[in-house]
């Protein structure tokens, strides 16, 4: 094995021998320098045949759309043939294999030493440039039963570089434009006797975009959506001609899958990424709460493809209840959302799940890190046309955190543990109709044994337990009957369970929700569309609670002398709702969406009427876009059964009310950079106050900025800042004071950059005003037990903890193989080990207090393999 390396150093030694001999022997004169140099000179090889390298299909499938250079180390024999080719620095994604294959076809004029052909080794680069986008389509007559083609239509395509191409549709209505640069293109279709059409598309390198445009006769009334996607099995993507449907809401923030999975500080969890958006406050540690625009967590809703779920995060907020791999899109509405969504005073998160992959192959995923492990498999169900997806995840933090806590003396019975599961089957019955069945659920549990209760709170001695779980079975049917009419129906049934215990106090709840939601959308005429929907919600429930009474605001907290009370309820709730909404487009760039919603709540036995209206106006035509927007709406939230309980709550309640006002604008600067600004005001009234009925009122107002660099082939990131204030008063004669959920300043700066060769690095910095708390003093003395009782100061939540700031880092490295890929990642929270204050605790008589810090630096290292 050492022999191939021997000539390299031996040749150097032998080269010295003739020189030594010439100086010592002197018997033979040296050759002239010119002749010696000529014999030693080497002529490099010259390329004769180079057919080039093909951009790899694997890179196109993996959506790699950029110039890539692969440098090969070539060994060329004395006949000019390539005997060996090795990448100097592998690039992955199929580029190395394509370069080596192209190198085998190279032909050189051999290198020469003097006049003699010799073998040499050289470096040879292959530059891969993604293929130009291709735009193909078909022109058809709108409303014809046979989808009759239209010939001789004039299609003008204006590319992003300003160039223009014009083609004419053939007899079968088809047309094709090649050699287009990537980016936005504007299309204009004209045909004598028919209404013209104008639209804009985004073209990506290496992709063929196919579309069909239906033109209506000039005398006919055409619906708004004239252009629809054409089923094209060989195309790289399917795209709506008029792009993504404009939002019905004033503000909707949507994240791509790439942004969700690699966002630093989120552990690759899609739903945790919501916490980086404007308007979302930082929740208390380990709570997993969603706090939007100063509203209480229970005021915001989470729906999964239209079905309400009780929670968004597992215990501790380290992971969400729906894995990122199943999420197609994530829409976040901080306020002023459509009447499509019902009860709620705060924000809303709509999680859209993807269907199983339709390429008739099996795909799988396995991932493990320091927090949890997950598996997923999807593929076809024989040749039935059905596809399936099955996934599961379980935390294993309990296997190593439990012993650590026990060693520290925390008396842990069971450390936090969670798992979730998903099973889906799906089928397309036609290009315009589909059906899906989904079964998913989640389970969280924690048990701690408190062997040293405090004097002031002896009731918390013994075991603390917490468990919550839910499951849902959901059926989704979609059908687009024609270009004007579309139906979407969602039916679901499930169960929610909740169990909590503090020593001798406990509570448990079981709820079986059943829901049916159906919406029919119909284009009445050009520029006018109606959405009509119905919601039916019903569910029996049982709960048992044994706790000390919850004090009214401003009253002293209970002590050892406070006797627990118990309630047992077995009943059901019924909450039907109907809504109507219109999408009005009176002029180019104008969109007005008025709607009304009517909901009945069995807890109030009343109907709630909720009118809303949103509007958007584009001030510019084409790029760059400038949009102003605004909206106002009434939002009603019925009290839950526990609030209406006669023991712990009160009867004769009404719904909580909130009026949302918002105005804003959106400005594009480049294709990637855009700025959005939103000013909001929420007027809260008829709020349910413990022991007092609907006596509460308040307000929340502020301004949100989001400067965003949209994801490209290398980078994504944004700067988000929220300046807000949330105030409340529990009784009419009370002054307004800061609510528990107020956070004045929320600043987030994050970004993620692809370094190349599979490396990706990102960082996130957050600065947030500290959480509010209520200072405590000694307000009374229990002579029976010798225990001081706490007396909160008024107004509550009058003191703010120190501000929170934290820097997080994420690093990913991806290796791509022929049939699978492997990713290693490291997500580190609180890299600078900042000691942020998360709570304030008191001594036994409330005369001294101290701050409790949150988590120190927390790394999460993991591996992920997928095929």
């Amino acid at each position: 094995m050492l022999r191939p390396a021997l000539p390299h150093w031996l040749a150097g030694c032998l080269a010295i021998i003739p020189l030594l001999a010439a100086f010592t022997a002197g018997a033979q004169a040296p050759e002239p320098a010119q002749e010696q140099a000529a014999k030693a000179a080497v002529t490099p090889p010259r390329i004769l045949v180079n057919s080039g390298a093909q951009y790899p299909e694997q890179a196109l499938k993996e959506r790699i759309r950029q110039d890539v250079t692969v440098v090969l180390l070539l060994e060329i024999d004395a006949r000019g043939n390539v005997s060996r080719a090795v990448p100097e620095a592998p690039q992955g994604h199929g580029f190395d294999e394509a370069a080596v294959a192209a190198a085998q076809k190279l032909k050189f004029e051999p290198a020469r030493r003097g006049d003699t052909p010799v073998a040499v080794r050289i470096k040879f680069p292959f530059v891969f440039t993604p293929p130009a986008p291709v735009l193909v389509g078909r022109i058809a007559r709108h409303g014809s039963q046979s989808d009759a083609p239209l010939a001789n239509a004039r299609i003008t395509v204006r590319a992003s570089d300003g160039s223009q191409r014009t083609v004419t549709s053939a007899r079968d209505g088809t047309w094709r434009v090649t050699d287009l640069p990537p980016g936005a293109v504007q299309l204009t279709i004209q045909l004598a006797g028919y209404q013209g059409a104008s639209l804009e598309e985004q073209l990506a390198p290496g992709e063929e975009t196919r579309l069909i445009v239906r033109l209506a006769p000039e005398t006919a009334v055409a619906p708004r959506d004239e252009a629809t996607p054409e089923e094209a099995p060989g195309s790289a993507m399917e795209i709506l001609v008029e792009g993504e449907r404009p939002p019905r809401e004033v503000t909707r923030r949507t994240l791509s899958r790439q942004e969700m999975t690699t966002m630093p500080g989120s552990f690759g969890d899609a739903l945790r990424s919501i916490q980086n958006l404007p308007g979302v406050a930082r929740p208390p540690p380990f709570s997993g709460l969603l706090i939007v625009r100063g509203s209480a967590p229970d005021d915001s809703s989470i729906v999964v493809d239209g079905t309400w779920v009780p929670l968004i995060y597992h215990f501790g907020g380290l992971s969400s209840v729906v894995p990122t791999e199943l999420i197609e899109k994530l829409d976040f509405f901080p306020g002023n959302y459509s009447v499509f969504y019902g009860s709620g005073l705060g924000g809303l998160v709509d999680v859209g799940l993807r269907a199983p992959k339709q390429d008739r192959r099996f795909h799988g995923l396995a991932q493990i890190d320091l927090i949890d492990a997950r598996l997923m498999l999807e593929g076809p169900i024989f040749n039935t046309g059905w596809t399936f997806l099955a996934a599961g995840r379980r935390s294993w933090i309990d296997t190593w955190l439990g012993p650590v806590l026990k060693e520290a003396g925390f008396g842990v019975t069971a450390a936090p543990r969670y798992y979730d599961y998903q099973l889906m089957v799906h089928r397309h019955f036609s290009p315009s109709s589909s059906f899906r069945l989904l079964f998913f659920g989640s389970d969280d549990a924690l048990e701690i044994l408190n062997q040293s209760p405090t004097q002031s709170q002896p009731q918390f001695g013994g075991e603390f337990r917490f468990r919550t779980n839910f499951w849902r079975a959901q059926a989704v049917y979609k059908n687009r009957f024609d270009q004007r009419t579309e139906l979407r129906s969602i039916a679901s049934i499930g169960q929610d369970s909740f169990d909590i215990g503090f020593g001798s106090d406990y509570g448990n709840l079981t709820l079986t929700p059943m829901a049916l939601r159906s919406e029919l959308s119909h284009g009445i005429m050009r520029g006018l569309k109606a959405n009509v929907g119905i919601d039916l919600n019903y569910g029996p429930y049982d709960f048992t609670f044994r706790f000390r009474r919850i004090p009214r605001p401003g009253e002293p907290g209970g002590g050892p002398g406070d006797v627990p009370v118990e309630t047992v309820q077995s009943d059901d709730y019924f909450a039907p709702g109907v809504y109507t909404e219109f999408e009005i487009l009176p002029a180019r760039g104008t969109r007005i969406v008025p709607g009304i919603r009517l909901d009945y709540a069995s807890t109030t036995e009343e109907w709630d009427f909720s009118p809303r209206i949103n509007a958007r106006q584009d001030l510019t035509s084409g790029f760059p876009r400038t949009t102003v927007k605004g909206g106002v709406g009434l939002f009603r939230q019925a009290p839950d059964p526990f609030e209406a309980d006669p023991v712990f709550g009160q009867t004769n309640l009404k719904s909580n009310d909130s009026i949302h006002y918002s105005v804003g604008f959106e400005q594009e600067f480049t294709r990637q950079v855009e700025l959005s600004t939103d000013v909001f005001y929420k007027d809260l009234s008829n709020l349910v106050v413990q022991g007092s009925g609907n006596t509460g009122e308040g307000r929340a107002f502020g301004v949100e900025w989001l400067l965003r660099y949209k994801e490209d082939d290398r980078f994504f990131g944004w700067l988000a800042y929220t300046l807000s204030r949330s105030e409340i008063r529990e009784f009419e004669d009370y002054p307004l004071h800061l609510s528990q959920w107020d956070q004045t300043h929320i600043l987030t700066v994050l970004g993620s950059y692809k370094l190349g060769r599979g490396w990706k690095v990102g960082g996130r910095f957050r600065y947030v005003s500290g959480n509010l708390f209520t200072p405590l003093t000694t307000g009374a003395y229990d002579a029976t037990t010798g225990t001081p009782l706490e007396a909160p100061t008024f107004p509550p939540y009058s003191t703010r903890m120190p501000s929170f700031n934290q820097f997080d880092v994420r690093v990913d490295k991806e290796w791509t193989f022929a049939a699978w890929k492997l990713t290693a990642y490291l997500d580190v929270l609180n890299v600078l080990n900042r000691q942020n204050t998360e709570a304030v605790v008191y001594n036994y008589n409330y005369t001294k207090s101290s701050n409790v810090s949150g988590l120190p630096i927390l790394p999460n290292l993991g591996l992920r393999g997928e095929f």
Side-chain angles (χ1 to χ4, degrees), residues 253-388:
R253 310 196 193 281
T254 302
L255 300 177
S256 70
R257 188 179 302 173
Q258 179 71 14
E259 289 174 320
M260 293 186 291
T261 56
T262 61
M263 189 171 294
S266 300
F267 287 168
D269 191 283
L271 296 178
R272 275 175 54 90
S273 63
I274 298 172
Q275 299 172 7
N276 299 314
L277 295 174
V280 182
R282 191 184 71 88
F286 305 112
S287 65
L289 300 177
L290 181 64
I291 306 169
V292 182
R293 288 184 174 176
S295 293
D298 291 344
D299 294 345
S300 295
S301 303
I302 304 102
V303 295
V304 176
D305 272 340
T307 297
W308 176 84
V309 294
L311 52 89
I312 189 172
Y313 299 115
H314 287 296
F315 178 83
L318 295 177
S319 182
S320 59
V321 297
V322 180
T324 302
E325 296 78 23
L326 269 70
I327 297 178
E328 179 67 28
K329 67 171 184 173
L330 184 61
D331 287 339
F332 168 62
F333 307 99
N336 275 109
Y337 43 83
S338 163
V339 293
F340 176 80
Y341 305 101
S343 177
L345 305 182
L348 184 137
V349 177
D350 189 353
V351 182
L353 302 185
R354 67 175 179 87
K357 295 179 179 179
Q358 306 292 312
D359 57 2
R360 300 183 181 180
R361 294 169 46 209
F362 287 96
H363 300 269
L365 176 147
Q367 178 173 323
I368 186 169
D369 54 36
L370 297 180
I371 295 177
D372 57 36
R374 68 191 73 180
L375 294 171
M376 185 180 73
L377 181 66
E378 60 183 311
I381 302 178
F382 304 108
N383 293 318
T384 61
W386 290 85
T387 54
F388 81 95

Side-chain angles (χ1 to χ4, degrees), residues 447-464:
E447 293 182 9
I448 296 178
L449 183 62
N450 184 9
Q451 298 174 335
S452 303
T454 63
Q455 253 192 335
S456 59
Q457 301 290 344
Q459 69 270 25
F460 291 130
E463 183 187 50
F464 165 75

Side-chain angles (χ1 to χ4, degrees), residues 293 661-662 678-682 700-704 722-724:
R293 288 184 174 176
Y661 305 90
S662 62
D678 293 275
V679 180
F680 68 90
Y681 184 93
K682 291 195 295 187
F701 55 93
V703 58
E704 302 163 351
T722 302
L723 175 66
S724 66

Side-chain angles (χ1 to χ4, degrees), residues 142-476:
H142 172 72
S144 61
Q145 296 296 324
S146 59
D147 208 15
L150 294 177
N152 300 319
R154 182 182 176 88
I155 300 99
T156 302
V157 181
R158 185 175 181 84
S160 57
D161 60 0
S163 62
Q164 187 169 295
R165 295 161 176 79
T166 301
V167 296
T168 302
S169 60
R171 292 183 60 184
D172 59 356
T174 60
W175 53 273
R176 181 183 185 91
V177 180
T178 59
D179 298 325
L180 290 167
V185 295
Q186 294 180 343
L187 292 88
T188 302
I189 299 99
Q190 294 177 323
L191 180 61
Y194 290 84
Q195 298 179 19
S198 297
L199 47 131
E200 182 175 311
E201 287 302 323
Q202 286 287 340
L203 304 184
E207 288 187 351
E208 181 179 275
T209 301
R210 299 189 179 189
L211 51 91
I212 180 172
V213 179
R214 292 180 172 87
L215 301 182
E218 288 183 342
T219 57
V221 178
R224 167 173 167 73
D225 296 326
E226 292 179 347
T228 56
E230 179 181 26
E231 291 297 315
S235 63
M237 65 180 295
E238 179 179 287
I239 150 178
L240 286 176
V241 170
E242 294 195 353
E244 183 181 354
R245 182 178 181 178
R248 303 186 200 175
E249 297 75 18
V250 174
T251 301
R252 175 180 66 179
R253 310 196 193 281
T254 302
L255 300 177
S256 70
R257 188 179 302 173
Q258 179 71 14
E259 289 174 320
M260 293 186 291
T261 56
T262 61
M263 189 171 294
S266 300
F267 287 168
D269 191 283
L271 296 178
R272 275 175 54 90
S273 63
I274 298 172
Q275 299 172 7
N276 299 314
L277 295 174
V280 182
R282 191 184 71 88
F286 305 112
S287 65
L289 300 177
L290 181 64
I291 306 169
V292 182
R293 288 184 174 176
S295 293
D298 291 344
D299 294 345
S300 295
S301 303
I302 304 102
V303 295
V304 176
D305 272 340
T307 297
W308 176 84
V309 294
L311 52 89
I312 189 172
Y313 299 115
H314 287 296
F315 178 83
L318 295 177
S319 182
S320 59
V321 297
V322 180
T324 302
E325 296 78 23
L326 269 70
I327 297 178
E328 179 67 28
K329 67 171 184 173
L330 184 61
D331 287 339
F332 168 62
F333 307 99
N336 275 109
Y337 43 83
S338 163
V339 293
F340 176 80
Y341 305 101
S343 177
L345 305 182
L348 184 137
V349 177
D350 189 353
V351 182
L353 302 185
R354 67 175 179 87
K357 295 179 179 179
Q358 306 292 312
D359 57 2
R360 300 183 181 180
R361 294 169 46 209
F362 287 96
H363 300 269
L365 176 147
Q367 178 173 323
I368 186 169
D369 54 36
L370 297 180
I371 295 177
D372 57 36
R374 68 191 73 180
L375 294 171
M376 185 180 73
L377 181 66
E378 60 183 311
I381 302 178
F382 304 108
N383 293 318
T384 61
W386 290 85
T387 54
F388 81 95
L389 186 150
R393 170 173 53 180
R394 190 196 189 278
S395 68
W396 61 290
I397 190 173
D398 53 315
T399 62
W400 57 268
L401 182 60
V404 171
L405 294 178
K406 287 182 180 179
E407 186 67 23
F410 281 90
V412 175
T413 304
R417 182 271 303 153
Y418 64 80
Y419 62 83
D420 55 62
Y421 48 88
Q422 303 82 31
L423 178 62
M424 177 192 301
V425 292
H426 178 274
R427 182 174 180 180
H428 281 288
F429 293 104
S430 71
S432 59
S433 65
S434 64
F435 180 72
R436 188 189 72 195
L437 288 173
L438 172 67
F439 180 74
F440 66 104
S442 166
D443 190 288
D444 292 67
L446 169 68
E447 293 182 9
I448 296 178
L449 183 62
N450 184 9
Q451 298 174 335
S452 303
T454 63
Q455 253 192 335
S456 59
Q457 301 290 344
Q459 69 270 25
F460 291 130
E463 183 187 50
F464 165 75
R465 69 181 186 276
F466 172 83
R467 182 171 183 178
T468 179
N469 62 76
F470 77 90
W471 61 262
R472 292 289 186 275
Q474 180 194 71
V476 180

Side-chain angles (χ1 to χ4, degrees), residues 36 66 160 188 326 340 425 454 500 520 653 658 676 708 803:
Q36 188 175 3
Q66 61 192 40
S160 57
T188 302
L326 269 70
F340 176 80
V425 292
T454 63
I500 188 170
L520 182 67
L653 292 177
S658 176
S676 65
R708 183 175 183 180
S803 61

Side-chain angles (χ1 to χ4, degrees), residues 490 516-520 532-536 576-579 597:
I490 306 163
L516 173 64
R517 164 174 287 183
S518 188
E519 181 183 83
L520 182 67
V532 180
I534 183 171
D535 281 341
L536 297 177
V578 293
Y579 65 89
R597 184 178 180 95

